[in-house]
Amino acid sequence: MIIITEPTATEEQIERIVTRVQEFGLEAEVSRGGSRVIVEVSGPSELVRDPRLSSMPGVEAVVPAATHYKLAAFEARGTASKVDICGVSIGGDAAVALICGPCSVESREQMLSIAHRVKDAGARILRGGAFKPRTSPYSFQGLQEEGLRFLAEARNETGLPIITEIMDARDLPIVERYADCLQIGARNMQNFSLLKEVGRSHLPVLLKRGFSATINELIMSAEYILSGGQEHVLLCERGIRTFETATRYTLDLTAVPILKAKTHLPVVVDPTHAVGLRAFIPQMALAAIAAGADAIMLEVHDSPELAKCDGEQALIPEMLSKLFPRLRAVANAIGRDL
Amino acid sequence: MIIITEPTATEEQIERIVTRVQEFGLEAEVSRGGSRVIVEVSGPSELVRDPRLSSMPGVEAVVPAATHYKLAAFEARGTASKVDICGVSIGGDAAVALICGPCSVESREQMLSIAHRVKDAGARILRGGAFKPRTSPYSFQGLQEEGLRFLAEARNETGLPIITEIMDARDLPIVERYADCLQIGARNMQNFSLLKEVGRSHLPVLLKRGFSATINELIMSAEYILSGGQEHVLLCERGIRTFETATRYTLDLTAVPILKAKTHLPVVVDPTHAVGLRAFIPQMALAAIAAGADAIMLEVHDSPELAKCDGEQALIPEMLSKLFPRLRAVANAIGRDL
Amino acid sequence: MIIITEPTATEEQIERIVTRVQEFGLEAEVSRGGSRVIVEVSGPSELVRDPRLSSMPGVEAVVPAATHYKLAAFEARGTASKVDICGVSIGGDAAVALICGPCSVESREQMLSIAHRVKDAGARILRGGAFKPRTSPYSFQGLQEEGLRFLAEARNETGLPIITEIMDARDLPIVERYADCLQIGARNMQNFSLLKEVGRSHLPVLLKRGFSATINELIMSAEYILSGGQEHVLLCERGIRTFETATRYTLDLTAVPILKAKTHLPVVVDPTHAVGLRAFIPQMALAAIAAGADAIMLEVHDSPELAKCDGEQALIPEMLSKLFPRLRAVANAIGRDL
Amino acid sequence: MIIITEPTATEEQIERIVTRVQEFGLEAEVSRGGSRVIVEVSGPSELVRDPRLSSMPGVEAVVPAATHYKLAAFEARGTASKVDICGVSIGGDAAVALICGPCSVESREQMLSIAHRVKDAGARILRGGAFKPRTSPYSFQGLQEEGLRFLAEARNETGLPIITEIMDARDLPIVERYADCLQIGARNMQNFSLLKEVGRSHLPVLLKRGFSATINELIMSAEYILSGGQEHVLLCERGIRTFETATRYTLDLTAVPILKAKTHLPVVVDPTHAVGLRAFIPQMALAAIAAGADAIMLEVHDSPELAKCDGEQALIPEMLSKLFPRLRAVANAIGRDL
């Protein structure tokens, strides 16, 4: 952190600033020469982030240190991490992975049928929601434990590992019993209690970006999970909220190369929820791979007009089968497998 | 819900649409006369909200029914509700209430000192955070139960009821032991597990708008709380995230008259977090009252440069004392007390 | 401007930075003492704003000087300016002014009728569009010079000065012939050619904020007008574009006190276009006055269901008459007249 | 347009609605059967778009007709258009084109040097700004006609056609004398006077999306140009304004497939201004091609640290040379040339 004083700051004000910095257990280095005095502050990062200095008399600006992430920062490992989900590697130089499945688990038949179809079409991980965050209390809230059982049965039949959302810390024991990877949904990206809890799980965690979270806040939420001891976190871009109404959210693909530069964590892109319109999802999946995504998450349903939620946006298995070779071609074009 | 068919829809497609509506346990009324056929759908609202019909062949548009809120809607009570917090009424024709206190409870001395000072300045409810949602895991996370005890002691000394944030459903028993009103923070506005939990509390709930939640989503989250049996919910506008960087958030005061027209719930405005700059908070508090707010929540600190978080934005007690008669004058100008 | 070097910057890099600054005709003052070197840059502001230094090796950050406005800044005059529109003063300690009229001039009868009615209801300036910026080329584009004539006739009958929009620099001579104040619409806030042109007019200019312009950009556009020699500029907040869909735009009332602190220019608020819903405009007009607005612009129509554009949002004269004493009461409550 | 009446609408209200529709020269078809009456309105589109009906008593909702674009709509031609810029085809099945050059024309030497370098690196069109829209009146405003001459000289030497921005309708004759394609900048996307003017030019027009314009508004602005008689319009996505601050704007790549589905116009992507950070531009150029862009516009500078504006974002020619084969590989992967 660098404190820049006003040109009119008095010596007494500068001394008071330095004293305060030291009271916080931090070190202050003072630079002089121009009309302003510059105070560089260093020390343990949890103290340095404190904004209380900017309100002191004589302070013109406080420039934060460039990075606040101890564990998520690329520099923390110096290389891109791979996360292993039951034998499927995501990140680093691993092949791009497809994560497919329905929005919600609706029935045993549906789950098994879709699982087989997405496996045949090239998916390597299965997704499906058993606990559903719904805007209205009167909407379908998910099959809960029964849904987890159907997911597990689909894994046993197909061999595809499963990823599913957890919404409440109290559900962790039950979700851990069935899932291979935990998902934190966009609405819970800053549910810090839940983040701390999944930070203690033995399962990897896929963290979705809140729809109005900055890239920096997404990384800070990953830092919460990592600081609990968890080593396996995937970041997922799924669209942010803007004024544009032609799409549900605006897919922020620039977040992909930025997250990969700032952190060592694998980056997943979920175009389905961002775009919300089936016809445009294939193009955005292709673009996500070109932008450097390590995995693509796609909603697939075999009977979209019956889907219990978000039916307009799911791909049907035939679309996925046709899309797969195109995704692979783009991955190859940028030097990756799929 | 109204389904509008395409001009080219076939009779077979229309029949299929009607059949599907009926399969869902809903009623369909068909209107004919122009090139399009219109199907009005009615039935229990939890079914009617299902979007799965818009993807059917022959459907041009599905126009949702105007209101989805059974319990929060103004029509549900036909009059503005008052919420009572230990004898302080908020809403309806009650006097506008000031809710003041520090962002975080930092120490016993701080809490008692501020409590006395805000009471003297005109506040009728005391606020303070014991559990703090912080973007970074390395920031100060609050004094937790110790903070609740200091709050309760401040209430006992001043007689001001206390409101404090709850972040985790598991903390409900302990927070209920001390607090007079529960606060759901902006980051948890769609933490549906927590909403359901506080819906079962005997304490009233102040629900803050998520910083990228629409007005409609805020009301739906209130509906979650109300649907748990809770009768006492206050809505709080605290700024939304926009491209503007001169302020932390953009205070959306138009939400005040809209929320009061759409719901029967009292509306609170928190200008402190939205504006983030002490100098402009008084004007926005005045504007909030003129817009019809039922209560104003203001962060007050007696030593802002030492505040453990958000120091730049807190009013000092002297500012509050000078602001109070101006707030009252504006309240009187629109026919209310303060 | 302050350049902060990286801790690892070499002496050679620092020298190169200083040399570059001097090549630009600027002065560099170097501060040393900590691990970073700080270079303060000063000189003519048009050079100092150049960002080309931030890409030089060794530079960690470039902190811009706090203010870029030479003519619009509050400090440029040290007191709030008053703008006189044919005898009606706006700004400073002048009474809050009401500016009312239809969105578009539609006919002679309409214009005269509304002019009389808004005058009776308390308006002191008349507004009406003769040149209309419409999203679609097929929408009504305004009566153009005929509309200006009807406006002028309404002024002659009522004595109310008139304000009307100019969209094209080539129309300036004709608009100047009729109008008392020029309006730059939100869509033209960064039409720099037009800004320069109205900067040379003898008429005052009301500059509307672009619906995605920052407060800083609004002031910079005012600076364009002022730098042409124009001395009389009014700033107008009229809503910004956000994700919220319950209103057309989000009225950013916090811009009012910020603009009044940063500039000496009077600030007008136009709640009509921001809110877009007649029922909520009175509350936002009241709030705008409480926030410190120097004038309120309101769309009024005597037959809203026939209005050629934006009919849903215009107040009817009866609403204005009832609103006027409430606006005055709030103005008085904060120590102003209306 | 479809008018839906309230369930409580009286026969008299419905009759009045129908009468009003007919007074506007439109036809009304009434559908009955359910609790609501539906009125379908048809006729010339410039009348049908009029919103004045929604404020009539008895009206619950007015659903606009799905498309308002007569000339820009895909259906207007039934196939993707190609735009020819001096022999370089863009759109349809043409090869993806690279449009490269500096932000501003700064000097003859700079322009010639960059022109040769971008040609060698694979660019097929040259860009450069002679008239610059700058937020501050004190920033460099461009070399104007001298800049156009340098551009023309660069075209003569390299054979690359040139595209340059026009900011003022009065500059059209001079810009037409030198340029091969006119560019309308983001800030002028709704400068309707300018749009009409370039609609009469014999040169094709590249229309940049305003940074807070919806996709629909972009198409409506293209419609303005087309309705002037112009047949050759290219649409350009260059980033929209959101809350995210890690990038200058948020590149909305989903706009690419949507624009290509809704219109017949070629779609260009300019990642430079959206991203604003050199390191992440290559990935976004790759992603834009994968999303279906017909051309990519890239800022290139051979001495970025000296660039008179926006230096941090320009690619250097070496980066472009290395990027070119990667862009071609992705284009080939989706079945296109480059």
Side-chain angles (χ1 to χ4, degrees):
Chain A
M1 188 167 62
I2 294 158
I3 301 170
I4 301 171
T5 65
E6 293 173 340
T8 56
T10 62
E11 272 307 309
E12 202 192 330
Q13 287 175 334
I14 293 165
E15 246 170 70
R16 236 178 123 212
I17 294 166
V18 170
T19 308
R20 180 86 69 225
V21 167
Q22 291 165 345
E23 284 171 8
F24 291 152
L26 298 166
E27 281 166 54
E29 282 181 294
V30 177
S31 301
R32 290 165 188 272
S35 61
R36 287 169 178 86
V37 171
I38 278 70
V39 182
E40 279 182 71
V41 179
S42 53
S45 66
E46 63 274 31
L47 299 174
V48 173
R49 295 195 61 261
D50 201 303
R52 67 196 119 168
L53 293 153
S54 62
S55 57
M56 290 190 70
V59 172
E60 177 166 304
V62 174
V63 182
T67 176
H68 310 318
Y69 337 116
K70 282 200 293 202
L71 303 170
F74 187 84
E75 294 71 26
R77 299 211 187 160
T79 183
S81 297
K82 276 188 209 180
V83 169
D84 182 274
I85 304 178
C86 291
V88 179
S89 269
I90 298 179
D93 58 1
V96 177
L98 276 191
I99 304 169
C100 299
C103 177
S104 302
V105 182
E106 294 168 24
S107 70
R108 185 175 171 277
E109 294 63 40
Q110 170 238 29
M111 201 55 234
L112 294 180
S113 158
I114 294 180
H116 283 288
R117 300 202 65 177
V118 302
K119 187 190 183 183
D120 293 347
R124 293 198 291 140
I125 298 181
L126 188 62
R127 57 152 285 164
F131 296 90
K132 297 300 303 173
R134 303 302 305 273
T135 306
S136 164
Y138 309 122
S139 295
F140 175 60
Q141 308 272 321
L143 293 181
Q144 316 212 0
E145 185 167 4
E146 191 182 22
L148 294 174
R149 276 200 302 270
F150 298 154
L151 272 171
E153 196 174 340
R155 172 189 49 207
N156 296 346
E157 284 209 6
T158 61
L160 299 178
I162 56 179
I163 174 166
T164 198
E165 179 163 352
I166 176 164
M167 289 173 59
D168 189 321
R170 296 169 297 184
D171 296 326
L172 186 57
I174 196 167
V175 178
E176 279 183 321
R177 199 177 313 146
Y178 297 97
D180 302 306
C181 180
L182 303 171
Q183 177 179 312
I184 301 291
R187 286 169 185 76
N188 279 317
M189 192 203 86
Q190 293 195 318
N191 178 340
F192 300 119
S193 297
L194 184 58
L195 299 182
K196 287 177 186 169
E197 207 69 34
V198 300
R200 290 189 278 267
S201 175
H202 67 281
L203 292 178
V205 179
L206 182 142
L207 175 66
K208 287 201 162 183
R209 180 181 183 182
F211 48 71
S212 67
T214 61
I215 289 171
N216 186 50
E217 288 170 340
L218 172 60
I219 303 175
M220 289 311 295
S221 285
E223 188 81 16
Y224 259 96
I225 301 175
L226 292 164
S227 69
Q230 172 66 256
E231 300 207 350
H232 306 295
V233 175
L234 305 108
L235 304 174
C236 181
E237 160 63 29
R238 47 73 74 210
I240 57 173
R241 194 162 261 183
T242 70
F243 62 84
E244 177 60 69
T245 52
T247 45
R248 266 179 144 197
Y249 297 91
T250 296
L251 188 67
D252 179 14
L253 282 185
T254 315
V256 176
I258 294 180
L259 288 170
K260 295 188 70 167
K262 290 197 170 187
T263 79
H264 58 83
L265 305 171
V267 178
V268 182
V269 172
D270 170 0
T272 308
H273 288 86
V275 175
L277 295 162
R278 186 183 295 138
F280 305 120
I281 290 168
Q283 296 91 324
M284 299 325 290
L286 292 163
I289 291 179
D294 296 305
I296 304 293
M297 184 179 258
L298 290 169
E299 219 173 283
V300 177
H301 204 287
D302 56 355
S303 172
E305 69 187 62
L306 284 170
K308 287 230 170 85
C309 65
D310 293 340
E312 312 87 329
Q313 68 191 12
L315 295 184
I316 53 173
E318 289 72 20
M319 291 175 78
L320 184 65
S321 300
K322 278 163 71 175
L323 178 59
F324 187 81
R326 303 179 69 208
L327 294 173
R328 174 173 279 163
V330 169
N332 292 345
I334 61 159
R336 296 187 75 165
D337 287 326
L338 178 101
Chain B
M1 188 167 61
I2 294 158
I3 301 170
I4 301 170
T5 66
E6 294 173 339
T8 57
T10 62
E11 273 306 309
E12 204 193 329
Q13 287 174 332
I14 294 166
E15 247 169 70
R16 237 178 122 213
I17 293 166
V18 170
T19 308
R20 180 86 68 225
V21 167
Q22 292 165 342
E23 284 172 7
F24 291 153
L26 298 165
E27 281 166 53
E29 281 181 290
V30 178
S31 301
R32 290 164 189 273
S35 61
R36 288 171 177 85
V37 172
I38 279 68
V39 183
E40 280 183 69
V41 179
S42 52
S45 65
E46 62 275 32
L47 299 174
V48 173
R49 296 195 60 261
D50 201 301
R52 68 196 118 167
L53 293 153
S54 63
S55 56
M56 290 190 70
V59 172
E60 179 167 303
V62 174
V63 182
T67 177
H68 309 319
Y69 338 116
K70 282 200 292 201
L71 303 169
F74 186 84
E75 294 72 26
R77 300 211 185 160
T79 183
S81 297
K82 276 188 209 182
V83 170
D84 181 274
I85 303 178
C86 290
V88 179
S89 268
I90 298 180
D93 57 1
V96 178
L98 276 192
I99 305 169
C100 300
C103 177
S104 302
V105 182
E106 294 169 23
S107 70
R108 185 173 170 279
E109 293 64 37
Q110 170 238 30
M111 202 56 236
L112 294 180
S113 157
I114 294 179
H116 283 289
R117 300 203 64 178
V118 302
K119 187 189 183 183
D120 293 348
R124 292 198 292 140
I125 298 181
L126 188 63
R127 55 152 287 164
F131 296 90
K132 297 300 303 172
R134 304 300 306 273
T135 306
S136 164
Y138 310 121
S139 296
F140 176 60
Q141 308 272 321
L143 292 181
Q144 316 210 2
E145 186 167 3
E146 191 181 22
L148 294 173
R149 276 200 301 269
F150 298 154
L151 272 171
E153 196 173 340
R155 172 189 50 206
N156 296 345
E157 285 209 5
T158 61
L160 299 179
I162 56 179
I163 174 167
T164 198
E165 180 164 351
I166 176 164
M167 290 172 58
D168 188 321
R170 296 170 297 185
D171 296 327
L172 186 56
I174 196 167
V175 178
E176 279 183 321
R177 200 177 312 147
Y178 297 97
D180 301 306
C181 180
L182 304 171
Q183 177 178 312
I184 301 291
R187 286 169 184 76
N188 279 317
M189 191 202 85
Q190 293 194 318
N191 179 340
F192 300 119
S193 296
L194 184 59
L195 299 181
K196 287 177 186 169
E197 208 67 35
V198 299
R200 288 188 280 266
S201 175
H202 66 282
L203 292 178
V205 179
L206 182 141
L207 175 66
K208 287 201 162 182
R209 181 182 183 182
F211 47 71
S212 67
T214 61
I215 289 171
N216 186 50
E217 288 169 341
L218 172 60
I219 304 175
M220 289 311 296
S221 286
E223 188 81 17
Y224 259 96
I225 301 175
L226 292 164
S227 68
Q230 173 65 258
E231 300 207 350
H232 306 295
V233 176
L234 306 108
L235 303 174
C236 181
E237 161 63 29
R238 46 75 73 210
I240 58 174
R241 194 162 262 183
T242 71
F243 63 83
E244 177 60 70
T245 53
T247 45
R248 267 179 145 200
Y249 297 92
T250 296
L251 188 67
D252 180 13
L253 282 185
T254 315
V256 177
I258 294 181
L259 288 169
K260 295 188 72 167
K262 291 197 169 187
T263 80
H264 58 83
L265 306 171
V267 178
V268 181
V269 172
D270 170 1
T272 308
H273 287 87
V275 175
L277 296 161
R278 186 184 295 137
F280 305 120
I281 289 168
Q283 296 91 325
M284 300 323 291
L286 293 163
I289 290 178
D294 296 305
I296 305 293
M297 184 179 259
L298 291 168
E299 219 174 284
V300 176
H301 205 288
D302 56 357
S303 171
E305 71 188 59
L306 283 170
K308 286 231 170 84
C309 65
D310 293 339
E312 313 87 328
Q313 68 191 13
L315 296 184
I316 53 174
E318 289 72 18
M319 291 175 77
L320 185 65
S321 299
K322 279 162 70 176
L323 179 58
F324 187 81
R326 302 179 69 209
L327 294 173
R328 173 172 279 163
V330 169
N332 291 345
I334 61 159
R336 296 187 77 165
D337 288 326
L338 177 102
Chain C
M1 188 167 62
I2 295 157
I3 302 170
I4 301 170
T5 66
E6 293 173 340
T8 58
T10 62
E11 272 307 309
E12 204 193 329
Q13 286 175 333
I14 294 166
E15 247 170 71
R16 236 179 122 211
I17 293 166
V18 170
T19 307
R20 180 86 68 225
V21 167
Q22 292 164 342
E23 282 172 8
F24 291 153
L26 298 166
E27 282 165 53
E29 283 182 292
V30 178
S31 301
R32 291 166 188 274
S35 61
R36 288 170 177 85
V37 171
I38 277 69
V39 183
E40 278 183 71
V41 179
S42 54
S45 65
E46 62 274 30
L47 299 174
V48 173
R49 296 195 59 259
D50 202 303
R52 68 195 117 170
L53 293 153
S54 62
S55 56
M56 291 190 69
V59 172
E60 177 166 304
V62 174
V63 181
T67 176
H68 310 318
Y69 339 116
K70 282 200 292 203
L71 303 169
F74 187 84
E75 294 73 24
R77 300 211 186 161
T79 182
S81 298
K82 275 188 209 181
V83 170
D84 180 275
I85 303 177
C86 290
V88 179
S89 269
I90 299 179
D93 58 1
V96 177
L98 276 192
I99 305 169
C100 299
C103 177
S104 302
V105 182
E106 292 168 26
S107 70
R108 184 174 171 277
E109 294 63 40
Q110 171 239 25
M111 200 57 234
L112 294 179
S113 157
I114 294 179
H116 283 289
R117 300 201 66 176
V118 302
K119 188 188 182 183
D120 293 347
R124 291 197 294 139
I125 298 182
L126 188 62
R127 57 151 287 164
F131 296 90
K132 297 300 303 173
R134 303 302 305 274
T135 305
S136 163
Y138 310 121
S139 295
F140 175 59
Q141 307 272 320
L143 292 181
Q144 317 212 358
E145 184 167 4
E146 192 181 21
L148 294 173
R149 276 200 301 270
F150 298 154
L151 272 171
E153 197 174 340
R155 171 188 50 206
N156 296 346
E157 284 208 6
T158 60
L160 299 179
I162 55 180
I163 174 167
T164 196
E165 179 163 352
I166 176 163
M167 288 172 59
D168 189 320
R170 294 169 299 184
D171 296 328
L172 186 57
I174 197 168
V175 178
E176 279 183 320
R177 200 176 312 148
Y178 297 97
D180 302 307
C181 179
L182 304 171
Q183 177 178 312
I184 301 292
R187 287 169 185 76
N188 279 316
M189 192 202 86
Q190 293 194 319
N191 178 341
F192 301 118
S193 296
L194 184 58
L195 298 182
K196 287 177 185 169
E197 207 68 35
V198 300
R200 290 188 279 266
S201 175
H202 66 281
L203 293 178
V205 179
L206 181 143
L207 175 67
K208 286 201 162 181
R209 179 181 184 184
F211 47 71
S212 66
T214 61
I215 289 171
N216 186 49
E217 288 169 341
L218 173 60
I219 304 175
M220 289 311 296
S221 286
E223 188 81 17
Y224 259 95
I225 301 174
L226 293 165
S227 69
Q230 173 65 259
E231 299 207 350
H232 306 295
V233 176
L234 305 109
L235 303 174
C236 181
E237 161 62 29
R238 45 75 72 211
I240 58 173
R241 194 162 263 183
T242 70
F243 63 83
E244 177 60 69
T245 53
T247 47
R248 267 179 145 199
Y249 297 92
T250 296
L251 188 67
D252 179 15
L253 282 184
T254 316
V256 176
I258 294 181
L259 288 170
K260 296 189 72 167
K262 290 197 169 187
T263 80
H264 57 83
L265 305 171
V267 178
V268 182
V269 172
D270 171 0
T272 308
H273 287 86
V275 175
L277 296 162
R278 186 182 296 137
F280 305 120
I281 290 168
Q283 297 89 327
M284 300 324 289
L286 293 163
I289 290 179
D294 297 304
I296 304 293
M297 184 179 259
L298 289 169
E299 220 173 282
V300 176
H301 204 289
D302 56 357
S303 172
E305 71 188 59
L306 284 171
K308 286 232 169 85
C309 63
D310 293 341
E312 312 87 328
Q313 67 191 14
L315 295 185
I316 54 173
E318 289 71 21
M319 291 175 79
L320 185 64
S321 300
K322 278 163 70 177
L323 178 58
F324 187 82
R326 302 179 70 209
L327 293 174
R328 174 172 279 162
V330 169
N332 292 344
I334 61 159
R336 295 188 75 166
D337 287 326
L338 177 101
Chain D
M1 188 166 64
I2 296 158
I3 301 169
I4 301 171
T5 65
E6 293 173 339
T8 58
T10 63
E11 272 308 307
E12 204 193 328
Q13 287 175 332
I14 293 165
E15 246 169 71
R16 237 178 123 211
I17 293 167
V18 170
T19 307
R20 179 87 68 227
V21 167
Q22 292 164 343
E23 283 171 8
F24 292 154
L26 297 166
E27 281 166 54
E29 283 181 291
V30 178
S31 301
R32 291 166 188 274
S35 61
R36 288 169 177 87
V37 171
I38 278 71
V39 183
E40 279 182 70
V41 180
S42 53
S45 65
E46 61 275 30
L47 301 173
V48 173
R49 298 196 59 259
D50 203 303
R52 67 195 118 168
L53 294 153
S54 61
S55 56
M56 291 190 68
V59 172
E60 176 166 305
V62 175
V63 181
T67 175
H68 309 318
Y69 338 117
K70 281 200 294 202
L71 303 169
F74 187 84
E75 295 71 26
R77 299 209 187 162
T79 182
S81 297
K82 276 188 208 181
V83 170
D84 180 275
I85 303 178
C86 290
V88 179
S89 269
I90 298 179
D93 58 1
V96 178
L98 276 192
I99 305 169
C100 299
C103 177
S104 302
V105 182
E106 293 168 25
S107 71
R108 185 175 170 276
E109 294 63 39
Q110 171 238 29
M111 200 57 235
L112 294 180
S113 157
I114 295 179
H116 283 289
R117 301 201 66 176
V118 302
K119 188 188 182 184
D120 293 348
R124 291 198 293 140
I125 298 181
L126 188 62
R127 56 151 287 164
F131 296 90
K132 297 300 303 171
R134 303 302 304 275
T135 306
S136 163
Y138 310 122
S139 296
F140 175 60
Q141 307 272 321
L143 293 181
Q144 316 210 0
E145 185 167 5
E146 191 182 23
L148 293 174
R149 275 201 301 271
F150 298 155
L151 272 172
E153 197 174 338
R155 173 189 49 205
N156 296 346
E157 283 207 8
T158 59
L160 299 179
I162 55 180
I163 176 167
T164 197
E165 179 163 351
I166 176 162
M167 288 172 60
D168 188 321
R170 295 170 298 184
D171 296 327
L172 186 56
I174 198 167
V175 178
E176 279 183 321
R177 201 177 311 147
Y178 297 97
D180 301 307
C181 180
L182 304 170
Q183 178 178 311
I184 301 291
R187 286 170 185 75
N188 280 317
M189 193 202 85
Q190 292 194 318
N191 178 340
F192 300 118
S193 296
L194 184 59
L195 298 182
K196 287 176 185 170
E197 208 68 35
V198 301
R200 289 189 280 266
S201 175
H202 66 281
L203 292 178
V205 179
L206 182 143
L207 174 67
K208 286 200 161 182
R209 180 181 183 183
F211 47 72
S212 67
T214 61
I215 289 171
N216 185 50
E217 287 170 341
L218 172 60
I219 303 175
M220 288 311 295
S221 286
E223 188 81 16
Y224 259 96
I225 301 175
L226 293 164
S227 69
Q230 173 65 259
E231 300 207 350
H232 306 296
V233 176
L234 305 108
L235 303 174
C236 182
E237 160 63 29
R238 47 73 74 210
I240 58 173
R241 194 162 262 183
T242 71
F243 63 82
E244 176 60 70
T245 53
T247 47
R248 266 180 145 198
Y249 296 92
T250 296
L251 189 67
D252 179 13
L253 282 184
T254 316
V256 177
I258 294 181
L259 288 170
K260 295 189 71 167
K262 290 198 170 187
T263 81
H264 57 83
L265 305 171
V267 178
V268 182
V269 172
D270 171 359
T272 307
H273 288 86
V275 175
L277 297 162
R278 186 183 296 138
F280 305 119
I281 291 168
Q283 296 90 324
M284 300 324 288
L286 293 162
I289 290 179
D294 297 304
I296 305 294
M297 185 179 256
L298 290 169
E299 221 174 282
V300 177
H301 205 288
D302 56 356
S303 172
E305 70 187 61
L306 283 170
K308 286 230 169 85
C309 63
D310 293 341
E312 313 88 327
Q313 68 191 13
L315 296 185
I316 53 173
E318 289 71 21
M319 291 175 79
L320 185 64
S321 300
K322 278 162 72 176
L323 179 58
F324 187 82
R326 302 178 70 210
L327 294 173
R328 174 172 278 161
V330 170
N332 292 344
I334 61 158
R336 297 188 74 166
D337 287 327
L338 178 101

